Every structure is written in C-alpha cells, then in structure tokens.
Amino acid sequence: MSKPRVAVVFGGRNSEHAVSLMGAGSVLDAIDRSKYEVIPIGIAQDGRWVLAASDQRFAIEDGELPIVDTTGAALALPSGSGSLVAYDPGAIPVELGSVDVVFPVMHGPYAEDGTIQGLLEMAGVRYVGSGVLASAVGMDKAYMKTVIAAAGLPTGPYVVIRDRDWRLNREQVLKEAEELGYPVFVKPARAGSSQGISKASDRAELESAVEFARRHDPKVLVEAAIVGREIECAVLQSLGDEPAAASLPGEVRVEGGQEFFDFEAKYYPDQMSLTVPADIPQETAEELRAMAVRAFEALECEGLARVDFFYTADGKLVFNEINTMPGFTSLSVAPQLWAASGLSYPALVERLIQLALSRSPGLR
C-alpha cells in the first residue's frame, strides 16, 4: 500500500511569512518519512504556489528572515480530487497525484484566518487544524473576545477602532480608548506573532500606536493594560470522542530588557524564557487548564490551539487570546508545553496528522 501523502504548506501573503517558514522547517524535520510521503509547498509573498526548492531556507541566518524560494516549479491549486499539478517553465505539466492531508503551517491573514481552510474545504482535502469559522474567529481578536465572553470566560476591557471610525470620527474613538486608562496596548485586530503591537502612555503615543497597527490591519484593538504574569496553555483535540486535553501551563517571561512579548522576544534567541509548569497554585493551574479547554470548545476548534491568560496579583485569571495555529517551531511555546507534558514534538506532529486523516472533509 502507498504511504499517505502529506503536503506541508508554508509562507503566505502577510507579515508572518517568515514565522511560517520557521515552523514548517521543524515540521518537515519531524514527520516520519517511513510512514508518510511529504510534499513541501511554499506560498510566495506574491501569492504564487511552488514546490519547495531543494535548498529552501527555513531558519533565520545572520539576522536574515527566510522567504519562500520561487525558483521551484509552480503549482496549480488542488482540484476537487485533491490532486496537484506542477508547471515547470518549458516543460510538460506533471501530475503529482492526490494529497491525503495538508499541514498548513501558516499564520495571520490569508492563512490562519479561515481563507486557506475554505480553499481546502472547497477542494475536498483534509487538513490539520481548525475549520473555517474557528480559524476566522480566532484570528479576529474583537470577535474572539465576544465569543469568549459569551462562554463565560473573563476578558479585559477593550475598544475596537474600525477603519471608517478612524477616518471620520478620530477624536471620538481616541476619547473612547482613553477611557480605558493609560497605559494601553494597541494591536492589529487580525495579526499574530506580536506584529504591529505597541504600548501607549499618552494621547500622542496612542495616536501613533494606532497608525502603526493600521499598517498591518485597518481594524485595530486597544486594550487596557492588565498587570499580571503571562501564563499559557496548549490544547489538543482527542483522537476519539473524549474531550480535548490541556497541557501543563507555562509562564512566559520576556528577557533582555524587552517591555512586552513582541516579535523579537518570540523568535530571537535569549529574548524569552518559558517555565513549565508555571509556579502557580495547583488549584489555579487546574482552573486555567479547564478554561483553556472551554475557550477551545467555544470556538469549536479542531486539532490544536494555544490559549493565553494573565494571572494577576490577587489570584485572578484573565483570558488574553487564543491561537488556532500557534507558532510551531520545535522551540515555540505550544510544542514546549506539550513536551513538558509528555508529548514530544515528533509525537505532536504525528497526532495532528492522524487527527486530520481521521476526519471527513465538509461540514462536521
């Protein structure tokens, strides 16, 4: 019997292009080639799909972020049969055959937000991770908080600034944001990897922060600062009908003088430390794990997620956000949380592929 074919898709048309490649490199190294045939597929920053070149770079080298190498053969999108066709310039198109599952190691808009999930649903192809709705809601922090609050989880105060309001009612939305009290954190509503986030302590900084966030997304979230430790928990769907499982919680600390958990803290060495299990009371840890699973279920997530909380000095847990496709290098937080909980990175990759293979395409 032929081995299942797994297409690992990475890159994309957004500012998290390089983050995607770093995660994909780890996934490609971890997949058991004795069990699966693997097809690495890059989506270039201009939207082209290509077979990964043999010398495709996946890591940061000399401070330079990786990008998809477009010298590989161009690919047609999967058809209803899930088949791929390669188009090398000057050569006859090559039928690559059907794909059993797609592993989209992708983040941000046009990727983690339900767009690639919708494309794969239309093509009838199984894939790793959450479906269209959960991915879209998880990507949009404003709607995410609405759903999470409806599920009864505590969230911090925030204000949403939409493009039209910023252009036509700037003074009013700035006043609404200031009512949160300084300092505030300003972030794109639909971006990840801490892209476009800044802290504002007065009106001038607030206005500049909104403009900075709008470079990534015309929809912006302004959040009241919550003083607390950042505790994160990974959630994994069960292979059967059992409830989703939560990892041990871990505490993230920013090193090197960084004021908050920004892009550099996440992806450059010695900028972040993770302590697993987090040094919190056992009752709090169990409550946090239960809340993480509730968040996962509230969005109807599939596959995996990472759920982030603040733990305040008075012992309260406040939901921060959920990531339906968290950073996925072997050294990223979610894989480290699972490793500390007894599930190694290769075993985690294997579980996600098996979860994808076990579900049928279409409405579930």
Side-chain angles (χ1 to χ4, degrees):
M1 294 178 63
S2 61
K3 294 183 287 189
R5 308 186 86 200
V6 179
V8 178
V9 181
F10 52 86
R13 296 168 43 221
N14 60 51
S15 57
E16 295 176 76
H17 183 95
V19 176
S20 170
L21 269 78
M22 288 186 272
S26 291
V27 170
L28 288 166
D29 286 341
I31 293 179
D32 185 348
R33 303 304 175 101
S34 69
K35 294 181 63 175
Y36 303 104
E37 182 181 352
V38 179
I39 304 174
I41 298 173
I43 301 179
Q45 291 171 315
D46 62 4
R48 283 180 289 169
W49 290 49
V50 297
L51 279 176
S54 59
D55 58 350
Q56 171 66 59
R57 181 167 59 88
F58 290 99
I60 298 174
E61 292 182 2
D62 299 324
E64 185 177 348
L65 296 172
I67 61 172
V68 168
D69 184 343
T70 57
T71 59
L75 286 175
L77 301 183
S79 68
S81 64
S83 62
L84 292 167
V85 179
Y87 296 91
D88 221 350
I92 298 172
V94 177
E95 172 69 52
L96 296 179
S98 62
V99 171
D100 295 290
V101 63
V102 170
F103 199 135
V105 192
M106 300 180 70
H107 314 287
Y110 315 114
E112 187 186 349
D113 60 349
T115 48
I116 192 168
Q117 291 78 12
L119 182 148
L120 295 170
E121 291 284 358
M122 292 178 66
V125 180
R126 295 175 176 85
Y127 55 92
V128 168
S130 288
V132 175
L133 178 63
S135 298
V137 174
M139 189 79 254
D140 189 311
K141 295 178 178 64
Y143 284 106
M144 174 206 300
K145 289 177 182 290
T146 298
V147 172
I148 290 298
L153 298 178
T155 62
Y158 65 96
V159 168
V160 181
I161 300 178
R162 294 174 173 83
D163 180 55
R164 186 175 187 275
D165 293 331
W166 184 248
R167 290 185 290 106
L168 302 181
N169 302 302
R170 181 174 301 196
E171 183 65 24
Q172 178 61 34
V173 296
L174 285 170
K175 286 182 178 178
E176 291 175 1
E178 286 186 311
E179 289 176 2
L180 296 171
Y182 289 113
V184 294
F185 284 93
V186 183
K187 58 185 67 173
R190 296 163 293 193
S193 297
S194 299
Q195 298 276 13
I197 297 180
S198 51
K199 183 179 179 180
S201 299
D202 56 38
R203 170 63 75 93
E205 289 183 356
L206 173 60
E207 197 159 2
S208 296
V210 173
E211 291 289 4
F212 177 56
R214 280 170 53 84
R215 297 179 195 173
H216 297 268
D217 187 353
K219 184 177 180 180
V220 173
L221 206 70
V222 182
E223 297 178 328
I226 297 175
V227 179
R229 296 155 61 188
E230 184 162 342
I231 312 293
E232 304 188 353
C233 184
V235 182
L236 188 61
Q237 181 185 358
S238 168
L239 276 169
D241 293 326
E242 295 298 315
S247 72
L248 293 170
E251 180 172 3
V252 172
R253 288 190 178 92
V254 178
E255 309 290 349
Q258 298 290 99
E259 192 171 4
F260 59 93
F261 202 34
D262 61 5
F263 180 87
E264 284 72 20
K266 284 186 175 181
Y267 296 106
Y268 284 84
D270 304 322
Q271 295 292 304
M272 182 270 287
S273 66
L274 177 67
T275 302
V276 189
D279 184 14
I280 56 178
Q282 183 63 29
E283 288 184 3
T284 302
E286 292 306 316
E287 180 186 5
L288 184 145
R289 296 175 73 191
M291 290 170 65
V293 172
R294 281 171 61 193
F296 187 88
E297 292 175 344
L299 269 67
E300 297 185 354
C301 293
E302 297 171 274
L304 76 162
R306 194 195 72 236
V307 189
D308 305 343
F309 296 89
F310 294 113
Y311 178 53
T312 65
D314 58 356
K316 294 181 180 178
L317 291 168
V318 180
F319 172 89
N320 181 23
E321 66 178 33
I322 184 170
N323 284 270
T324 57
M325 181 52 74
F328 211 69
T329 73
S330 58
L331 298 178
S332 295
V333 172
Q336 285 198 66
L337 290 173
W338 280 119
S341 303
L343 190 67
S344 70
Y345 187 80
L348 176 60
V349 169
E350 169 69 12
R351 172 79 69 86
L352 292 171
I353 293 172
Q354 287 299 314
L355 282 167
L357 286 169
S358 69
R359 76 190 198 196
S360 59
L363 298 176
R364 292 180 292 283

